[in-house]
Amino acid sequence: MYLPFRSKIINIKPHTDIDYTFRMEFTGDVKPGQFFEVSIPKYGEAPISVNEIGTDYVDLTIRKVGKVTDVIHTFYPGQYLFMRGPYGNGFDVNIYKDKELIVAAGGTGLAPVKGIIDYFSNHIDSIKKFSLICGFKSSSDILFKESFKQWNPKIETTVTVDKEEEGYDGNVGLITEYVKKLEIENIREANVIVVGPPIMMKFTVQEFINKGIKEENIWVSYERKMCCGIGKCGHCKINDTYICLEGPVFNYIKAKELLD
């Protein structure tokens, strides 16, 4: 877990010009929302969230946004990357069973919660109701389009983009607008997961609280720079909390105290 291991790239799937999913060989225990440190010698490491879990693989959606990820995007299936992990606490699916669950994800924040969505899509009878709201900057930024086709028959799904576009006939507007319209069957018992950019999470969580969702029933995941993954470097530390160790998934009761 602490030492990097070689992992073969099984296949690579593009979603946008800069977002590609790398299917990596991996056998072991891993939860949705956990992350791996992916590395290339001489270039460094980058923390990447798990978005799909198989018996002998994990999927990592990697955005081309820096030195390490730029180089990763030059690799091909059959080649190898180095990985450490999985790290972090991840999401515990047992918390949400037999309850109503709403997931609100903004942009690449959909990746860390995709494993939760996949799980309950495949075990829909283990949950009372599932609603999914996803927001993207534009229609060209929408991730996992094929997965939405699989989720739609089982999950109440809303996909929205920030602004109107020529030729686009889907929902337009911020996630918060659609949270206001959401019909929640049991406000007192419903669970909510919110993941995305910090400003999106702040206002989306507040909208759910305005609707009557209990703070203790809200969960978030922090996309903070987790350099080492084992609580040694301190880059992800907020107050006395190491995001890489105690998170990145937090109940909102704890999360609301984690302010830079």
Side-chain angles (χ1 to χ4, degrees):
M1 185 173 179
Y2 298 109
L3 295 175
F5 56 87
R6 282 208 324 163
S7 176
K8 182 188 284 188
I9 302 171
I10 299 172
N11 61 51
I12 302 172
K13 183 175 183 178
H15 301 291
T16 72
D17 291 341
I18 59 173
D19 298 294
Y20 285 51
T21 291
F22 289 68
R23 177 158 291 182
M24 308 299 301
E25 282 187 346
F26 179 78
T27 303
D29 294 331
V30 58
K31 291 182 182 178
Q34 288 189 299
F35 66 96
F36 285 87
E37 293 284 352
V38 182
S39 63
I40 302 173
K42 298 192 297 184
Y43 291 96
E45 292 183 310
I48 308 294
S49 297
V50 172
N51 71 63
E52 185 173 322
I53 303 162
T55 54
D56 56 0
Y57 71 86
V58 290
D59 281 0
L60 309 176
T61 298
I62 302 175
R63 171 165 280 193
K64 188 179 179 182
V65 290
K67 181 176 70 172
V68 179
T69 53
D70 284 358
V71 177
I72 290 173
H73 274 246
T74 67
F75 279 59
Y76 293 92
Q79 293 183 296
Y80 290 82
L81 296 173
F82 285 90
M83 293 166 52
R84 289 191 292 118
Y87 296 125
N89 57 349
F91 292 98
D92 183 353
V93 298
N94 294 309
I95 291 173
Y96 313 111
K97 287 182 177 179
D98 299 317
K99 298 174 184 175
E100 182 174 356
L101 177 62
I102 303 117
V103 172
T108 56
L110 180 58
V113 294
K114 182 177 179 290
I116 284 281
I117 303 166
D118 286 336
Y119 178 85
F120 284 113
S121 176
N122 294 324
H123 301 84
I124 198 66
D125 292 337
S126 67
I127 200 163
K128 287 185 177 179
K129 182 183 178 182
F130 197 148
S131 302
L132 172 64
I133 305 175
C134 297
F136 299 93
K137 287 184 178 180
S138 69
S139 58
S140 61
D141 293 306
I142 297 175
L143 302 177
F144 312 124
K145 291 180 181 178
E146 291 185 3
S147 294
F148 277 110
K149 295 177 183 178
Q150 299 172 5
W151 298 336
N152 276 333
K154 305 174 184 178
I155 296 169
E156 293 186 10
T157 304
T158 301
V159 178
T160 181
V161 299
D162 289 354
K163 299 177 181 178
E164 292 186 10
E165 302 173 16
E166 185 176 349
Y168 174 75
D169 59 358
N171 297 306
V172 176
L174 300 178
I175 282 180
T176 48
E177 297 176 33
Y178 292 89
V179 172
K180 292 175 183 177
K181 301 174 184 178
L182 190 65
E183 293 184 7
I184 302 174
E185 292 180 359
N186 191 330
I187 289 289
R188 304 303 295 171
E189 293 185 4
N191 282 289
V192 170
I193 296 172
V194 180
V195 185
I199 194 70
M200 166 264 171
M201 292 173 64
K202 176 182 177 181
F203 287 103
T204 302
V205 167
Q206 189 57 54
E207 284 299 336
F208 279 113
I209 292 173
N210 292 345
K211 288 181 77 73
I213 297 291
K214 296 178 182 178
E215 290 186 352
E216 59 264 35
N217 289 344
I218 299 174
W219 303 81
V220 300
S221 180
Y222 280 154
E223 299 274 310
R224 192 174 175 86
K225 181 65 173 174
M226 296 171 284
C227 292
C228 72
I230 55 175
K232 299 299 182 183
C233 72
H235 281 85
C236 70
K237 189 178 180 183
I238 303 178
N239 301 327
D240 294 324
T241 299
Y242 290 89
I243 303 301
C244 66
L245 294 181
E246 296 184 44
V249 177
F250 292 94
N251 183 271
Y252 186 67
I253 294 294
K254 173 72 173 180
K256 67 181 181 179
E257 301 174 357
L258 301 177
L259 302 175
D260 284 322

